[in-house]
Short mmCIF file of all heavy atoms in Angstrom, two decimals:
data_model
loop_
_atom_site.label_atom_id
_atom_site.label_comp_id
_atom_site.label_asym_id
_atom_site.label_seq_id
_atom_site.Cartn_x
_atom_site.Cartn_y
_atom_site.Cartn_z
N MET A 1 10.45 -13.87 0.28
CA MET A 1 10.22 -13.33 1.58
C MET A 1 11.50 -12.91 2.21
O MET A 1 12.56 -13.54 2.06
CB MET A 1 9.59 -14.43 2.45
CG MET A 1 9.39 -14.01 3.85
SD MET A 1 8.54 -15.26 4.95
CE MET A 1 9.83 -16.44 5.12
N LYS A 2 11.45 -11.83 2.96
CA LYS A 2 12.67 -11.29 3.72
C LYS A 2 12.37 -11.37 5.23
O LYS A 2 11.26 -11.07 5.66
CB LYS A 2 12.93 -9.81 3.30
CG LYS A 2 13.30 -9.70 1.83
CD LYS A 2 13.66 -8.28 1.55
CE LYS A 2 14.04 -8.15 0.07
NZ LYS A 2 14.21 -6.66 -0.23
N GLU A 3 13.42 -11.77 5.92
CA GLU A 3 13.25 -11.86 7.38
C GLU A 3 14.38 -11.06 8.01
O GLU A 3 15.59 -11.29 7.77
CB GLU A 3 13.42 -13.29 7.74
CG GLU A 3 13.34 -13.59 9.23
CD GLU A 3 13.46 -15.04 9.57
OE1 GLU A 3 14.55 -15.60 9.42
OE2 GLU A 3 12.40 -15.63 9.83
N TYR A 4 14.12 -10.02 8.75
CA TYR A 4 15.04 -9.19 9.46
C TYR A 4 15.21 -9.63 10.88
O TYR A 4 14.16 -9.70 11.67
CB TYR A 4 14.56 -7.77 9.40
CG TYR A 4 14.50 -7.27 8.01
CD1 TYR A 4 13.20 -7.42 7.31
CD2 TYR A 4 15.44 -6.59 7.36
CE1 TYR A 4 13.11 -6.93 6.04
CE2 TYR A 4 15.30 -6.16 6.08
CZ TYR A 4 14.13 -6.29 5.37
OH TYR A 4 13.97 -5.91 4.06
N THR A 5 16.34 -9.98 11.30
CA THR A 5 16.61 -10.45 12.67
C THR A 5 17.86 -9.70 13.24
O THR A 5 18.77 -9.22 12.59
CB THR A 5 16.89 -11.91 12.70
OG1 THR A 5 18.02 -12.19 11.95
CG2 THR A 5 15.66 -12.76 12.23
N PHE A 6 17.78 -9.54 14.62
CA PHE A 6 18.96 -9.03 15.40
C PHE A 6 18.80 -9.45 16.78
O PHE A 6 17.73 -9.69 17.40
CB PHE A 6 19.14 -7.60 15.25
CG PHE A 6 17.90 -6.76 15.62
CD1 PHE A 6 17.81 -6.21 16.86
CD2 PHE A 6 16.99 -6.49 14.67
CE1 PHE A 6 16.70 -5.40 17.17
CE2 PHE A 6 15.87 -5.70 14.99
CZ PHE A 6 15.73 -5.06 16.22
N GLU A 7 20.03 -9.64 17.43
CA GLU A 7 19.97 -10.02 18.83
C GLU A 7 20.83 -8.91 19.66
O GLU A 7 21.90 -8.57 19.22
CB GLU A 7 20.56 -11.42 19.07
CG GLU A 7 20.53 -11.90 20.41
CD GLU A 7 20.86 -13.42 20.53
OE1 GLU A 7 21.24 -14.02 19.59
OE2 GLU A 7 20.76 -13.95 21.63
N THR A 8 20.22 -8.61 20.79
CA THR A 8 20.87 -7.56 21.60
C THR A 8 20.87 -8.05 23.11
O THR A 8 20.18 -9.02 23.34
CB THR A 8 20.25 -6.21 21.47
OG1 THR A 8 18.90 -6.29 22.09
CG2 THR A 8 20.03 -5.77 20.08
N PRO A 9 21.42 -7.34 23.98
CA PRO A 9 21.26 -7.64 25.44
C PRO A 9 19.82 -7.54 25.79
O PRO A 9 19.43 -8.17 26.85
CB PRO A 9 22.14 -6.51 26.15
CG PRO A 9 23.12 -6.11 25.11
CD PRO A 9 22.45 -6.26 23.79
N LYS A 10 18.94 -6.78 25.04
CA LYS A 10 17.59 -6.63 25.37
C LYS A 10 16.76 -7.77 24.87
O LYS A 10 15.58 -7.91 25.03
CB LYS A 10 17.04 -5.35 24.82
CG LYS A 10 17.74 -4.05 25.34
CD LYS A 10 16.90 -3.51 26.32
CE LYS A 10 17.53 -2.18 26.81
NZ LYS A 10 16.92 -1.69 28.08
N GLY A 11 17.33 -8.67 24.08
CA GLY A 11 16.54 -9.80 23.53
C GLY A 11 16.77 -10.04 21.98
O GLY A 11 17.52 -9.37 21.34
N PHE A 12 16.06 -11.06 21.47
CA PHE A 12 16.12 -11.41 20.08
C PHE A 12 14.85 -10.85 19.42
O PHE A 12 13.78 -10.93 19.90
CB PHE A 12 16.10 -12.93 19.95
CG PHE A 12 16.18 -13.40 18.44
CD1 PHE A 12 17.33 -13.44 17.79
CD2 PHE A 12 14.97 -13.80 17.92
CE1 PHE A 12 17.33 -13.84 16.46
CE2 PHE A 12 14.95 -14.19 16.56
CZ PHE A 12 16.14 -14.24 15.82
N TYR A 13 15.02 -10.27 18.19
CA TYR A 13 13.93 -9.63 17.44
C TYR A 13 13.92 -10.20 16.08
O TYR A 13 14.93 -10.38 15.42
CB TYR A 13 14.14 -8.16 17.44
CG TYR A 13 14.14 -7.58 18.89
CD1 TYR A 13 15.28 -7.46 19.53
CD2 TYR A 13 12.96 -7.16 19.45
CE1 TYR A 13 15.29 -6.88 20.85
CE2 TYR A 13 12.93 -6.61 20.69
CZ TYR A 13 14.11 -6.57 21.42
OH TYR A 13 14.10 -5.94 22.61
N GLU A 14 12.65 -10.34 15.48
CA GLU A 14 12.52 -10.94 14.21
C GLU A 14 11.31 -10.18 13.55
O GLU A 14 10.23 -10.01 14.19
CB GLU A 14 12.09 -12.34 14.35
CG GLU A 14 11.86 -13.07 12.93
CD GLU A 14 11.53 -14.57 13.16
OE1 GLU A 14 10.46 -14.83 13.51
OE2 GLU A 14 12.53 -15.31 13.02
N TYR A 15 11.54 -9.56 12.38
CA TYR A 15 10.51 -8.85 11.67
C TYR A 15 10.47 -9.33 10.20
O TYR A 15 11.41 -9.77 9.70
CB TYR A 15 10.78 -7.29 11.68
CG TYR A 15 10.77 -6.76 13.08
CD1 TYR A 15 11.94 -6.76 13.81
CD2 TYR A 15 9.65 -6.24 13.66
CE1 TYR A 15 11.91 -6.11 15.11
CE2 TYR A 15 9.56 -5.73 14.88
CZ TYR A 15 10.69 -5.69 15.65
OH TYR A 15 10.65 -5.10 16.89
N TYR A 16 9.36 -9.00 9.48
CA TYR A 16 9.22 -9.34 8.10
C TYR A 16 9.06 -8.07 7.21
O TYR A 16 8.74 -8.19 6.09
CB TYR A 16 8.04 -10.35 7.93
CG TYR A 16 8.26 -11.57 8.49
CD1 TYR A 16 7.79 -11.87 9.81
CD2 TYR A 16 9.07 -12.57 7.96
CE1 TYR A 16 8.12 -13.10 10.44
CE2 TYR A 16 9.36 -13.75 8.55
CZ TYR A 16 8.86 -14.07 9.80
OH TYR A 16 9.14 -15.15 10.43
N ASP A 17 9.32 -6.98 7.80
CA ASP A 17 9.32 -5.67 7.19
C ASP A 17 10.41 -4.79 7.66
O ASP A 17 10.61 -4.79 8.96
CB ASP A 17 8.01 -4.93 7.46
CG ASP A 17 7.75 -3.65 6.71
OD1 ASP A 17 8.73 -3.12 6.12
OD2 ASP A 17 6.62 -3.17 6.62
N ILE A 18 11.15 -4.16 6.89
CA ILE A 18 12.32 -3.30 7.34
C ILE A 18 11.87 -2.16 8.18
O ILE A 18 12.65 -1.72 9.09
CB ILE A 18 13.15 -2.86 6.19
CG1 ILE A 18 14.59 -2.43 6.61
CG2 ILE A 18 12.51 -1.86 5.32
CD1 ILE A 18 15.60 -2.15 5.69
N ARG A 19 10.77 -1.59 7.98
CA ARG A 19 10.32 -0.35 8.76
C ARG A 19 10.32 -0.61 10.24
O ARG A 19 11.05 0.13 10.96
CB ARG A 19 9.08 0.25 8.15
CG ARG A 19 9.26 0.76 6.78
CD ARG A 19 7.97 1.18 6.09
NE ARG A 19 7.28 -0.16 5.88
CZ ARG A 19 6.31 -0.24 5.05
NH1 ARG A 19 5.90 0.72 4.31
NH2 ARG A 19 5.68 -1.46 4.89
N PRO A 20 9.61 -1.58 10.78
CA PRO A 20 9.64 -1.86 12.11
C PRO A 20 10.90 -2.31 12.72
O PRO A 20 11.37 -2.05 13.80
CB PRO A 20 8.46 -2.73 12.43
CG PRO A 20 8.16 -3.39 11.19
CD PRO A 20 8.56 -2.43 10.11
N ALA A 21 11.61 -3.09 11.86
CA ALA A 21 12.91 -3.59 12.23
C ALA A 21 13.91 -2.40 12.44
O ALA A 21 14.66 -2.42 13.48
CB ALA A 21 13.45 -4.62 11.20
N ARG A 22 13.92 -1.49 11.49
CA ARG A 22 14.82 -0.38 11.53
C ARG A 22 14.50 0.51 12.79
O ARG A 22 15.32 0.93 13.59
CB ARG A 22 14.74 0.48 10.26
CG ARG A 22 15.66 1.72 10.31
CD ARG A 22 15.56 2.54 9.04
NE ARG A 22 14.11 2.79 8.66
CZ ARG A 22 13.68 2.64 7.40
NH1 ARG A 22 14.44 2.21 6.42
NH2 ARG A 22 12.39 2.84 7.10
N LYS A 23 13.20 0.63 12.96
CA LYS A 23 12.74 1.51 14.12
C LYS A 23 13.17 0.88 15.48
O LYS A 23 13.78 1.63 16.37
CB LYS A 23 11.16 1.70 14.09
CG LYS A 23 10.68 2.55 15.18
CD LYS A 23 9.23 2.64 15.04
CE LYS A 23 8.63 3.54 16.23
NZ LYS A 23 7.17 3.60 16.12
N LYS A 24 12.99 -0.39 15.64
CA LYS A 24 13.36 -1.02 16.86
C LYS A 24 14.83 -1.10 17.10
O LYS A 24 15.37 -0.88 18.16
CB LYS A 24 12.76 -2.48 16.94
CG LYS A 24 12.83 -3.13 18.25
CD LYS A 24 12.14 -2.44 19.25
CE LYS A 24 12.02 -3.18 20.63
NZ LYS A 24 11.32 -2.42 21.65
N ALA A 25 15.56 -1.42 16.05
CA ALA A 25 17.07 -1.52 16.08
C ALA A 25 17.64 -0.09 16.48
O ALA A 25 18.55 -0.02 17.35
CB ALA A 25 17.58 -1.96 14.78
N LEU A 26 17.14 0.99 15.93
CA LEU A 26 17.62 2.30 16.21
C LEU A 26 17.28 2.65 17.61
O LEU A 26 18.07 3.17 18.51
CB LEU A 26 17.03 3.38 15.28
CG LEU A 26 17.69 3.28 13.96
CD1 LEU A 26 16.83 4.16 12.99
CD2 LEU A 26 19.08 3.80 13.95
N GLU A 27 16.09 2.26 18.08
CA GLU A 27 15.62 2.52 19.54
C GLU A 27 16.58 1.77 20.49
O GLU A 27 17.04 2.41 21.46
CB GLU A 27 14.22 1.92 19.69
CG GLU A 27 13.59 2.00 21.12
CD GLU A 27 12.21 1.48 21.15
OE1 GLU A 27 11.47 1.82 20.26
OE2 GLU A 27 12.08 0.61 21.98
N ILE A 28 16.95 0.50 20.23
CA ILE A 28 17.80 -0.15 21.06
C ILE A 28 19.23 0.32 21.03
O ILE A 28 19.88 0.34 22.10
CB ILE A 28 17.68 -1.74 20.73
CG1 ILE A 28 16.26 -2.27 21.21
CG2 ILE A 28 18.79 -2.53 21.53
CD1 ILE A 28 15.99 -3.63 20.82
N ALA A 29 19.62 0.63 19.89
CA ALA A 29 21.03 1.22 19.80
C ALA A 29 21.22 2.42 20.65
O ALA A 29 22.28 2.63 21.30
CB ALA A 29 21.36 1.53 18.28
N LYS A 30 20.18 3.36 20.66
CA LYS A 30 20.21 4.45 21.55
C LYS A 30 20.21 4.12 23.00
O LYS A 30 20.96 4.65 23.82
CB LYS A 30 19.07 5.42 21.21
CG LYS A 30 19.27 6.14 19.86
CD LYS A 30 18.02 6.99 19.55
CE LYS A 30 18.19 7.57 18.12
NZ LYS A 30 17.00 8.33 17.76
N GLU A 31 19.37 3.10 23.32
CA GLU A 31 19.25 2.67 24.79
C GLU A 31 20.50 2.11 25.22
O GLU A 31 21.00 2.40 26.36
CB GLU A 31 18.15 1.62 24.92
CG GLU A 31 16.79 2.17 24.79
CD GLU A 31 15.68 1.09 24.98
OE1 GLU A 31 16.04 -0.03 25.49
OE2 GLU A 31 14.59 1.29 24.63
N ILE A 32 21.18 1.21 24.53
CA ILE A 32 22.45 0.55 24.97
C ILE A 32 23.69 1.29 24.50
O ILE A 32 24.78 0.93 24.94
CB ILE A 32 22.45 -0.98 24.44
CG1 ILE A 32 22.65 -1.06 22.98
CG2 ILE A 32 21.31 -1.71 24.96
CD1 ILE A 32 22.81 -2.41 22.35
N ASN A 33 23.53 2.42 23.77
CA ASN A 33 24.59 3.24 23.29
C ASN A 33 25.73 2.31 22.66
O ASN A 33 26.86 2.53 22.92
CB ASN A 33 25.20 4.02 24.50
CG ASN A 33 26.10 5.22 23.96
OD1 ASN A 33 25.76 5.75 22.90
ND2 ASN A 33 27.09 5.52 24.66
N ASP A 34 25.22 1.56 21.68
CA ASP A 34 26.15 0.67 20.97
C ASP A 34 25.47 0.35 19.60
O ASP A 34 24.29 0.47 19.44
CB ASP A 34 26.49 -0.60 21.68
CG ASP A 34 27.74 -1.30 21.24
OD1 ASP A 34 28.43 -0.74 20.39
OD2 ASP A 34 28.01 -2.40 21.80
N GLU A 35 26.22 -0.17 18.70
CA GLU A 35 25.79 -0.59 17.40
C GLU A 35 24.96 -1.80 17.46
O GLU A 35 25.19 -2.67 18.26
CB GLU A 35 26.92 -0.76 16.41
CG GLU A 35 27.77 0.44 16.16
CD GLU A 35 29.06 0.10 15.42
OE1 GLU A 35 29.29 -1.04 15.08
OE2 GLU A 35 29.85 1.07 15.23
N VAL A 36 23.95 -1.93 16.56
CA VAL A 36 23.15 -3.17 16.44
C VAL A 36 23.24 -3.66 15.10
O VAL A 36 22.96 -2.94 14.09
CB VAL A 36 21.64 -2.91 16.83
CG1 VAL A 36 20.77 -4.07 16.61
CG2 VAL A 36 21.50 -2.42 18.30
N LEU A 37 23.71 -4.88 14.88
CA LEU A 37 23.76 -5.51 13.55
C LEU A 37 22.40 -6.16 13.16
O LEU A 37 21.94 -6.92 13.91
CB LEU A 37 24.89 -6.54 13.49
CG LEU A 37 25.03 -7.26 12.21
CD1 LEU A 37 25.46 -6.35 11.06
CD2 LEU A 37 25.97 -8.43 12.35
N VAL A 38 21.89 -5.81 12.10
CA VAL A 38 20.51 -6.35 11.64
C VAL A 38 20.88 -7.15 10.34
O VAL A 38 21.54 -6.72 9.42
CB VAL A 38 19.60 -5.25 11.24
CG1 VAL A 38 18.34 -5.86 10.74
CG2 VAL A 38 19.26 -4.31 12.50
N THR A 39 20.44 -8.40 10.29
CA THR A 39 20.62 -9.28 9.20
C THR A 39 19.26 -9.51 8.46
O THR A 39 18.28 -9.81 9.12
CB THR A 39 21.15 -10.63 9.65
OG1 THR A 39 22.41 -10.50 10.33
CG2 THR A 39 21.46 -11.62 8.50
N CYS A 40 19.28 -9.35 7.15
CA CYS A 40 18.11 -9.57 6.34
C CYS A 40 18.36 -10.91 5.53
O CYS A 40 19.33 -10.93 4.67
CB CYS A 40 17.88 -8.41 5.38
SG CYS A 40 16.58 -8.78 4.18
N MET A 41 17.57 -11.89 5.75
CA MET A 41 17.78 -13.14 5.09
C MET A 41 16.59 -13.19 3.97
O MET A 41 15.47 -13.19 4.33
CB MET A 41 17.53 -14.34 6.07
CG MET A 41 17.65 -15.70 5.46
SD MET A 41 19.28 -16.12 4.94
CE MET A 41 20.05 -16.36 6.54
N HIS A 42 17.08 -13.40 2.67
CA HIS A 42 16.09 -13.56 1.63
C HIS A 42 15.85 -15.11 1.45
O HIS A 42 16.83 -15.93 1.33
CB HIS A 42 16.72 -13.10 0.33
CG HIS A 42 17.13 -11.65 0.28
ND1 HIS A 42 16.36 -10.73 -0.37
CD2 HIS A 42 18.13 -10.92 0.92
CE1 HIS A 42 16.91 -9.48 -0.24
NE2 HIS A 42 17.97 -9.60 0.60
N LYS A 43 14.59 -15.48 1.55
CA LYS A 43 14.24 -16.85 1.52
C LYS A 43 13.46 -17.13 0.21
O LYS A 43 12.62 -16.29 -0.17
CB LYS A 43 13.42 -17.34 2.71
CG LYS A 43 14.25 -17.33 3.89
CD LYS A 43 13.54 -17.80 5.16
CE LYS A 43 14.40 -17.80 6.37
NZ LYS A 43 13.73 -18.27 7.54
N PRO A 44 13.69 -18.07 -0.61
CA PRO A 44 14.42 -19.31 -0.28
C PRO A 44 15.91 -19.27 -0.70
O PRO A 44 16.54 -20.26 -0.59
CB PRO A 44 13.68 -20.42 -1.05
CG PRO A 44 13.21 -19.71 -2.31
CD PRO A 44 12.90 -18.26 -1.80
N SER A 45 16.37 -18.16 -1.19
CA SER A 45 17.75 -18.14 -1.74
C SER A 45 18.80 -18.15 -0.65
O SER A 45 20.00 -18.44 -0.88
CB SER A 45 17.98 -16.96 -2.62
OG SER A 45 17.87 -15.70 -1.90
N TYR A 46 18.49 -17.63 0.61
CA TYR A 46 19.33 -17.49 1.76
C TYR A 46 20.48 -16.53 1.42
O TYR A 46 21.47 -16.57 2.07
CB TYR A 46 19.92 -18.84 2.21
CG TYR A 46 18.76 -19.68 2.81
CD1 TYR A 46 18.24 -20.62 2.06
CD2 TYR A 46 18.27 -19.50 4.04
CE1 TYR A 46 17.16 -21.41 2.51
CE2 TYR A 46 17.31 -20.23 4.54
CZ TYR A 46 16.70 -21.21 3.85
OH TYR A 46 15.70 -21.96 4.31
N ILE A 47 20.25 -15.53 0.61
CA ILE A 47 21.16 -14.40 0.40
C ILE A 47 20.91 -13.41 1.52
O ILE A 47 19.77 -13.24 1.90
CB ILE A 47 20.96 -13.82 -0.99
CG1 ILE A 47 21.41 -14.78 -2.09
CG2 ILE A 47 21.72 -12.51 -1.14
CD1 ILE A 47 21.19 -14.34 -3.49
N GLN A 48 21.90 -12.78 2.00
CA GLN A 48 21.84 -11.91 3.18
C GLN A 48 22.24 -10.49 2.86
O GLN A 48 23.18 -10.30 2.07
CB GLN A 48 22.68 -12.37 4.31
CG GLN A 48 22.39 -13.74 4.86
CD GLN A 48 23.34 -14.12 6.01
OE1 GLN A 48 24.05 -13.25 6.56
NE2 GLN A 48 23.22 -15.37 6.42
N ASP A 49 21.52 -9.56 3.47
CA ASP A 49 21.94 -8.10 3.54
C ASP A 49 22.22 -7.78 4.96
O ASP A 49 21.49 -8.30 5.82
CB ASP A 49 20.77 -7.22 2.91
CG ASP A 49 20.40 -7.47 1.65
OD1 ASP A 49 21.22 -8.09 0.78
OD2 ASP A 49 19.27 -7.21 1.19
N TRP A 50 23.20 -7.06 5.17
CA TRP A 50 23.60 -6.66 6.58
C TRP A 50 23.50 -5.17 6.84
O TRP A 50 24.01 -4.47 5.97
CB TRP A 50 24.94 -7.23 6.94
CG TRP A 50 25.13 -8.66 6.95
CD1 TRP A 50 24.15 -9.59 6.81
CD2 TRP A 50 26.46 -9.32 7.02
NE1 TRP A 50 24.76 -10.76 6.91
CE2 TRP A 50 26.16 -10.71 6.97
CE3 TRP A 50 27.70 -9.01 7.10
CZ2 TRP A 50 27.11 -11.73 7.05
CZ3 TRP A 50 28.76 -9.96 7.20
CH2 TRP A 50 28.39 -11.30 7.14
N TYR A 51 22.87 -4.81 7.80
CA TYR A 51 22.63 -3.42 8.19
C TYR A 51 23.22 -3.16 9.59
O TYR A 51 23.27 -3.93 10.39
CB TYR A 51 21.16 -2.97 8.16
CG TYR A 51 20.43 -3.17 6.95
CD1 TYR A 51 19.84 -4.41 6.55
CD2 TYR A 51 20.24 -2.11 5.91
CE1 TYR A 51 19.18 -4.59 5.36
CE2 TYR A 51 19.58 -2.41 4.78
CZ TYR A 51 19.03 -3.60 4.51
OH TYR A 51 18.35 -3.79 3.34
N THR A 52 23.55 -1.84 9.88
CA THR A 52 23.96 -1.49 11.23
C THR A 52 23.14 -0.27 11.64
O THR A 52 23.06 0.74 10.91
CB THR A 52 25.54 -1.12 11.26
OG1 THR A 52 26.20 -2.29 10.84
CG2 THR A 52 25.91 -0.79 12.68
N ALA A 53 22.55 -0.44 12.86
CA ALA A 53 21.96 0.75 13.48
C ALA A 53 22.93 1.37 14.48
O ALA A 53 23.50 0.67 15.29
CB ALA A 53 20.71 0.29 14.20
N PHE A 54 23.06 2.65 14.41
CA PHE A 54 23.99 3.40 15.35
C PHE A 54 23.25 4.18 16.35
O PHE A 54 22.08 4.70 16.06
CB PHE A 54 24.88 4.34 14.48
CG PHE A 54 25.82 3.60 13.55
CD1 PHE A 54 25.42 3.31 12.23
CD2 PHE A 54 27.09 3.18 13.97
CE1 PHE A 54 26.34 2.71 11.32
CE2 PHE A 54 27.93 2.53 13.08
CZ PHE A 54 27.55 2.27 11.84
N PRO A 55 23.86 4.51 17.52
CA PRO A 55 23.14 5.25 18.50
C PRO A 55 22.79 6.70 18.17
O PRO A 55 21.94 7.25 18.74
CB PRO A 55 24.21 5.21 19.65
CG PRO A 55 25.13 4.09 19.40
CD PRO A 55 25.08 3.94 17.96
N ASP A 56 23.62 7.23 17.17
CA ASP A 56 23.34 8.53 16.69
C ASP A 56 22.21 8.70 15.66
O ASP A 56 21.85 9.73 15.10
CB ASP A 56 24.67 9.19 16.10
CG ASP A 56 25.09 8.55 14.90
OD1 ASP A 56 24.46 7.52 14.32
OD2 ASP A 56 26.14 8.89 14.37
N GLY A 57 21.49 7.55 15.48
CA GLY A 57 20.37 7.59 14.54
C GLY A 57 20.57 7.08 13.12
O GLY A 57 19.65 7.07 12.30
N ARG A 58 21.86 6.83 12.78
CA ARG A 58 22.10 6.36 11.36
C ARG A 58 21.73 4.82 11.27
O ARG A 58 21.87 4.19 12.28
CB ARG A 58 23.58 6.55 11.02
CG ARG A 58 23.99 8.00 10.87
CD ARG A 58 25.44 8.08 10.60
NE ARG A 58 26.25 7.74 11.78
CZ ARG A 58 27.36 6.88 11.67
NH1 ARG A 58 27.82 6.50 10.50
NH2 ARG A 58 27.96 6.52 12.81
N PHE A 59 21.26 4.42 10.09
CA PHE A 59 21.01 3.03 9.72
C PHE A 59 21.58 2.85 8.42
O PHE A 59 21.13 3.36 7.42
CB PHE A 59 19.53 2.79 9.75
CG PHE A 59 19.03 1.47 9.63
CD1 PHE A 59 19.03 0.65 10.73
CD2 PHE A 59 18.68 0.86 8.42
CE1 PHE A 59 18.64 -0.73 10.69
CE2 PHE A 59 18.34 -0.41 8.31
CZ PHE A 59 18.34 -1.28 9.51
N THR A 60 22.76 2.04 8.40
CA THR A 60 23.43 1.90 7.12
C THR A 60 23.38 0.44 6.54
O THR A 60 23.30 -0.43 7.34
CB THR A 60 24.94 2.31 7.27
OG1 THR A 60 25.54 1.46 8.29
CG2 THR A 60 25.06 3.64 7.74
N LEU A 61 23.47 0.40 5.22
CA LEU A 61 23.57 -0.97 4.52
C LEU A 61 25.15 -1.19 4.42
O LEU A 61 25.86 -0.49 3.85
CB LEU A 61 22.96 -0.88 3.20
CG LEU A 61 23.20 -2.09 2.27
CD1 LEU A 61 22.48 -3.40 2.90
CD2 LEU A 61 22.57 -1.87 0.89
N ASP A 62 25.53 -2.36 5.06
CA ASP A 62 26.92 -2.73 5.14
C ASP A 62 27.33 -3.63 4.04
O ASP A 62 28.47 -3.49 3.45
CB ASP A 62 27.31 -3.30 6.54
CG ASP A 62 27.06 -2.37 7.68
OD1 ASP A 62 27.32 -1.16 7.52
OD2 ASP A 62 26.55 -2.78 8.69
N MET A 63 26.51 -4.64 3.79
CA MET A 63 26.78 -5.61 2.73
C MET A 63 25.52 -5.99 2.11
O MET A 63 24.53 -6.38 2.90
CB MET A 63 27.50 -6.79 3.32
CG MET A 63 27.94 -7.83 2.35
SD MET A 63 28.84 -9.14 3.03
CE MET A 63 30.23 -8.45 3.69
N LYS A 64 25.42 -6.10 0.73
CA LYS A 64 24.14 -6.47 0.10
C LYS A 64 24.53 -7.74 -0.72
O LYS A 64 25.53 -7.76 -1.42
CB LYS A 64 23.71 -5.37 -0.76
CG LYS A 64 22.37 -5.71 -1.49
CD LYS A 64 21.82 -4.47 -2.10
CE LYS A 64 20.50 -4.76 -2.66
NZ LYS A 64 19.40 -5.16 -1.76
N GLY A 65 23.61 -8.65 -0.65
CA GLY A 65 23.72 -9.89 -1.48
C GLY A 65 24.78 -10.84 -1.14
O GLY A 65 25.30 -11.56 -1.98
N PHE A 66 25.13 -10.92 0.19
CA PHE A 66 26.13 -11.91 0.71
C PHE A 66 25.53 -13.24 0.63
O PHE A 66 24.37 -13.54 0.96
CB PHE A 66 26.51 -11.62 2.06
CG PHE A 66 27.39 -12.65 2.64
CD1 PHE A 66 28.83 -12.62 2.36
CD2 PHE A 66 27.02 -13.58 3.52
CE1 PHE A 66 29.60 -13.58 2.91
CE2 PHE A 66 27.83 -14.63 4.02
CZ PHE A 66 29.16 -14.55 3.69
N SER A 67 26.22 -14.18 0.10
CA SER A 67 25.87 -15.63 0.04
C SER A 67 27.10 -16.48 0.46
O SER A 67 28.19 -16.22 0.10
CB SER A 67 25.47 -15.98 -1.40
OG SER A 67 25.23 -17.41 -1.47
N ALA A 68 26.79 -17.48 1.25
CA ALA A 68 27.87 -18.38 1.69
C ALA A 68 28.46 -19.19 0.46
O ALA A 68 29.59 -19.66 0.53
CB ALA A 68 27.30 -19.46 2.61
N ASN A 69 27.82 -19.18 -0.64
CA ASN A 69 28.33 -19.82 -1.82
C ASN A 69 29.20 -18.91 -2.64
O ASN A 69 29.75 -19.42 -3.66
CB ASN A 69 27.13 -20.19 -2.77
CG ASN A 69 26.22 -21.20 -2.05
OD1 ASN A 69 26.71 -22.00 -1.18
ND2 ASN A 69 24.90 -21.26 -2.36
N ASN A 70 29.34 -17.62 -2.22
CA ASN A 70 30.30 -16.72 -3.04
C ASN A 70 31.65 -17.10 -2.81
O ASN A 70 32.20 -17.40 -1.84
CB ASN A 70 29.98 -15.27 -2.61
CG ASN A 70 28.71 -14.80 -3.21
OD1 ASN A 70 28.12 -15.41 -4.02
ND2 ASN A 70 28.29 -13.65 -2.72
#
């Protein structure tokens, strides 16, 4: 299972599918005119992927497969 979460001045958001998470993160990035960091937690391994939503509409993968055990 994957869990996509991010926190902004507009609130905390949690999704289980990247499509609505990406859509909402981009929407908020445009509203606040700042970057939004989205974390994807893979459960039960707790490996993380990190994404950034930008106000100009880009959504990039910053780090894939991060683990605190690395």
Side-chain angles (χ1 to χ4, degrees):
M1 176 175 74
K2 295 181 182 179
E3 179 180 76
Y4 299 87
T5 59
F6 54 96
E7 188 169 3
T8 71
K10 300 259 182 192
F12 179 80
Y13 298 88
E14 179 178 81
Y15 296 92
Y16 295 96
D17 185 345
I18 194 170
R19 292 169 293 201
R22 178 179 49 227
K23 182 179 178 182
K24 187 65 171 179
L26 287 169
E27 176 185 308
I28 291 175
K30 288 178 186 177
E31 285 179 20
I32 65 174
N33 197 31
D34 200 3
E35 299 171 359
V36 174
L37 176 66
V38 179
T39 303
C40 171
M41 179 73 70
H42 299 255
K43 293 184 179 179
S45 67
Y46 293 98
I47 291 174
Q48 297 179 12
D49 299 336
W50 296 350
Y51 300 87
T52 302
F54 293 93
D56 65 3
R58 291 178 294 136
F59 190 81
T60 62
L61 173 62
D62 301 320
M63 186 179 296
K64 184 167 181 65
F66 175 78
S67 174
N69 297 329
N70 288 349

